[in-house]
Amino acid sequence: MRRKEKRLLQAVALVLAALVLLPNVGLWALYRERQPDGTPGGSGAAVVPAAGQGSHSRQKKTFFLGDGQKLKDWHDKDSIRRDAQRVGNGEQGRPYPMTDAERVDQAYRENGFNIYVSDKISLNRSLPDIRHPNCNSKRYLETLPNTSIIIPFHNEGWSSLLRTVHSVLNRSPPELVAEIVLVDDFSDREHLKKPLEDYMALFPSVRILRTKKREGLIRTRMLGASVATGDVITFLDSHCEANVNWLPPLLDRIARNRKTIVCPMIDVIDHDDFRYETQAGDAMRGAFDWEMYYKRIPIPPELQKADPSDPFESPVMAGGLFAVDRKWFWELGGYDPGLEIWGGEQYEISFKVWMCGGRMEDIPCSRVGHIYRKYVPYKVPAGVSLARVFTFTWREDIRPGDPQHTKKFCFDAISHTSPVTLYDCHSMKGNQLWKYRKDKTLYHPVSGSCMDCSESDHRIFMNTCNPSSVTQQWLFEHTNSTVLEKFNRN
Ligand code: UDP
Ligand code: MN
């Protein structure tokens, strides 16, 4: 009887030991499954065992992060307190009360957002802390890699560019910012020349580089990356505002796994009144449709993290704002330098990361605001287009699609203000008849109006013809003016 009991006990002990210690079975594997990159704790301190816990040396080594590195609270409490006391235009991310004089078209012309309003708001304005409350108690590695912050710009507004830089300087631990590299993509606006150099001379960590010709954002980012000295490179757009404690949560994930590319949550700075708001829904991840349009789609409940403030995987990034280990970026080959102006680069880098054994994450505790423009203010040189190649057939209807024009649906509009939709081609002219006019508008004889596009909500719609409106200008490539004239006469 006793011997049996002893055997039983021995067997139980053996099974327990196997469960705890053997790799790829039992608790060990369970534990690793919960931590896909093999780094316990996500970005928080939650599951790091205290020193001395667990007697097995192998277990100890794996469980202790970064060779037993300590974690710390990176919040800059003083600056948070100072920010909370600020009052004035746009402070706390509130909407600026616009007057009729500021509501005019002219205010948007050069930047695609209201520069009059931007100019009225402090370069050091405060933002609301809209992070998940759990972010307040998250601790990150005490020793983090530093980063070069690369900001490409092309004809950016003065106050929007400077506010980007100020927000980074105000809300980043100085020891983590190796440098801020402003890369001018051949701007021609005066304020971006000597005045910018004089201004930035006051900030020793800021450098200005310039391209020798218009390169587009991809090669401009690459130029910045090529001179960067930081352990990590962080890309931002030239009209952003970094929010509270945005940087440590990004660098922490890279420190734990250098092949992780991380993106902050991108908040919306309104292009009219500069109010600062979250995008609809945080539990969303990057995706794209068959036309390569980037979109955010909800994360299925079973894949959502128990703590919504924890980092989560994202298949594709939005594009402009992310941090990456500098060497890993170059191991990935950087961006394809053949990419023009903008668009598509987010897929290229995203696919490479996943295919080369890296991962990509969105970091809810890191938030950066971005001004989503009303329309694209700068010229995109003819012949180079964006992510989507959009070809039009040479006929009286317009068939979007592949170069062989095999598609059988046409642009169709029913009234002078209706949306432009895709409908089966009927070859009966009428609603599907369009004229390619010399002033680069697309005229719709049936309604007597022109095709217009809304940058803010991605719609194509009919509008009163206004050839001076940039949103009614379409690029016609390889047109034959004789044929075009004959076509428009008939
Ligand atoms: N940019 C650039 N060269 C270009 C076009 C854009 O350097 O030819 C910069 C631009 O100033 C911004 C970033 O690239 O900092 C992303 O462009 P944009 O903000 O226009 O894109 P969006 O955010 O509207 O998608
Ligand atoms: Mn932008």
Side-chain angles (χ1 to χ4, degrees):
M1 204 47 187
R2 275 209 180 143
R3 244 177 49 197
K4 259 192 189 165
E5 263 177 25
K6 207 171 151 191
R7 283 251 171 83
L8 201 74
L9 264 170
Q10 276 174 340
V12 168
L14 215 75
V15 168
L16 273 176
L19 269 174
V20 175
L21 302 176
L22 284 183
N24 301 321
V25 291
L27 300 178
W28 179 269
L30 270 180
Y31 185 77
R32 294 231 309 214
E33 236 169 65
R34 282 188 34 214
Q35 311 294 336
D37 55 354
T39 57
S43 60
V47 275
V48 181
Q53 213 179 333
S55 57
H56 195 274
S57 66
R58 176 157 170 219
Q59 186 181 0
K60 196 167 167 181
K61 197 168 165 219
T62 315
F63 267 60
F64 277 81
L65 284 168
D67 297 322
Q69 267 208 58
K70 289 203 199 108
L71 300 168
K72 99 173 206 189
D73 180 358
W74 278 92
H75 287 95
D76 180 348
K77 300 269 161 59
D78 288 338
S79 133
I80 292 171
R81 211 170 301 121
R82 279 196 306 271
D83 263 1
Q85 285 160 2
R86 291 182 66 96
V87 284
N89 287 336
E91 292 294 344
Q92 314 302 333
R94 291 209 186 90
Y96 172 86
M98 288 168 80
T99 62
D100 284 345
E102 286 153 344
R103 234 176 270 277
V104 294
D105 240 26
Q106 188 51 37
Y108 297 81
R109 276 267 170 261
E110 288 185 332
N111 302 282
F113 54 79
N114 197 312
I115 194 71
Y116 294 178
V117 170
S118 178
D119 290 347
K120 293 273 173 60
I121 294 175
S122 167
L123 300 176
N124 296 310
R125 82 144 158 184
S126 49
L127 296 175
D129 181 0
I130 57 173
R131 298 172 307 162
H132 189 282
N134 292 358
C135 299
N136 275 313
S137 50
K138 291 236 196 264
R139 307 283 180 267
Y140 303 104
L141 295 177
E142 191 176 56
T143 310
L144 287 172
N146 68 9
T147 182
S148 299
I149 294 167
I150 316 279
I151 305 176
F153 64 94
H154 175 70
N155 282 342
E156 184 59 60
W158 173 258
S159 54
S160 45
L161 177 62
L162 265 50
R163 194 173 298 107
T164 308
V165 174
H166 277 242
S167 78
V168 166
L169 290 169
N170 290 341
R171 298 205 185 86
S172 312
E175 67 272 33
L176 297 185
V177 179
E179 60 192 344
I180 297 178
V181 186
L182 302 178
V183 197
D184 174 14
D185 185 12
F186 212 59
S187 302
D188 48 28
R189 297 169 70 178
E190 265 325 298
H191 65 250
L192 297 171
K193 295 175 182 170
K194 181 137 191 317
L196 184 68
E197 272 161 29
D198 291 346
Y199 189 91
M200 291 303 166
L202 302 170
F203 303 94
S205 60
V206 181
R207 309 165 59 179
I208 303 176
L209 284 182
R210 304 191 193 263
T211 63
K212 296 199 176 67
K213 60 176 176 52
R214 175 82 181 279
E215 296 285 2
L217 102 87
I218 291 116
R219 288 191 295 267
T220 304
R221 274 190 200 151
M222 293 264 273
L223 177 64
S226 70
V227 305
T229 59
D231 306 315
V232 167
I233 43 192
T234 302
F235 294 103
L236 294 180
D237 268 16
S238 45
H239 34 255
C240 285
E241 286 174 70
N243 208 330
V244 56
N245 207 39
W246 72 293
L247 197 52
L250 300 176
L251 299 178
D252 179 277
R253 295 304 287 169
I254 296 174
R256 290 165 196 266
N257 176 353
R258 62 179 288 270
K259 294 189 175 179
T260 302
I261 291 191
V262 286
C263 304
M265 304 309 279
I266 309 178
D267 291 322
V268 180
I269 303 169
D270 188 271
H271 56 236
D272 293 317
D273 59 24
F274 275 62
R275 80 180 68 178
Y276 185 103
E277 285 173 336
T278 173
Q279 291 194 54
D282 264 357
M284 309 273 266
R285 57 181 175 176
F288 54 90
D289 62 19
W290 291 109
E291 266 134 16
M292 301 299 279
Y293 275 122
Y294 175 83
K295 34 191 70 160
R296 296 167 75 236
I297 55 174
I299 302 175
E302 67 272 19
L303 291 183
Q304 285 182 22
K305 297 274 152 148
D307 179 349
S309 69
D310 273 348
F312 57 88
E313 297 87 348
S314 179
V316 286
M317 66 166 82
L321 284 55
F322 65 96
V324 54
D325 179 273
R326 180 165 52 85
K327 295 200 180 100
W328 171 235
F329 181 70
W330 293 116
E331 281 164 45
L332 287 170
Y335 283 116
D336 179 340
L339 291 165
E340 302 288 347
I341 306 299
W342 58 241
E345 84 286 355
Q346 75 272 43
Y347 303 124
E348 202 231 344
I349 199 88
S350 304
F351 298 162
K352 285 201 296 204
V353 172
W354 287 112
M355 289 190 294
C356 300
R359 49 190 281 113
M360 215 157 46
E361 292 180 347
D362 285 344
I363 313 294
C365 290
S366 171
R367 312 199 70 107
V368 176
H370 170 257
I371 308 176
Y372 288 86
R373 308 174 197 270
K374 201 168 172 176
Y375 47 75
V376 180
Y378 45 79
K379 289 200 187 74
V380 175
V384 301
S385 25
L386 316 174
R388 180 180 177 196
V389 178
F390 203 51
T391 59
F392 292 158
T393 51
W394 181 244
R395 44 171 102 217
E396 293 169 22
D397 52 36
I398 299 178
R399 302 181 183 208
D402 57 301
Q404 277 75 44
H405 310 311
T406 54
K407 297 271 164 68
K408 296 281 184 287
F409 45 87
C410 286
F411 277 6
D412 193 307
I414 42 178
S415 82
H416 64 288
T417 55
S418 71
V420 177
T421 54
L422 287 169
Y423 204 83
D424 289 343
C425 300
H426 51 48
S427 305
M428 308 278 279
K429 301 187 180 172
N431 288 353
Q432 293 181 359
L433 174 67
W434 302 91
K435 298 285 184 188
Y436 304 64
R437 297 204 304 201
K438 269 209 205 100
D439 59 15
K440 301 253 189 284
T441 57
L442 283 169
Y443 179 66
H444 189 242
V446 151
S447 62
S449 50
C450 286
M451 199 187 286
D452 202 329
C453 74
S454 155
E455 292 287 343
S456 56
D457 55 3
H458 301 234
R459 279 183 320 121
I460 300 185
F461 62 105
M462 299 310 300
N463 206 349
T464 310
C465 291
N466 173 12
S468 62
S469 157
V470 285
T471 58
Q472 288 190 14
Q473 295 275 302
W474 302 87
L475 281 179
F476 306 156
E477 289 178 18
H478 317 300
T479 48
N480 175 328
S481 52
T482 325
V483 178
L484 188 63
E485 254 165 51
K486 185 162 165 254
F487 172 77
N488 281 339
R489 253 201 322 273
N490 291 339

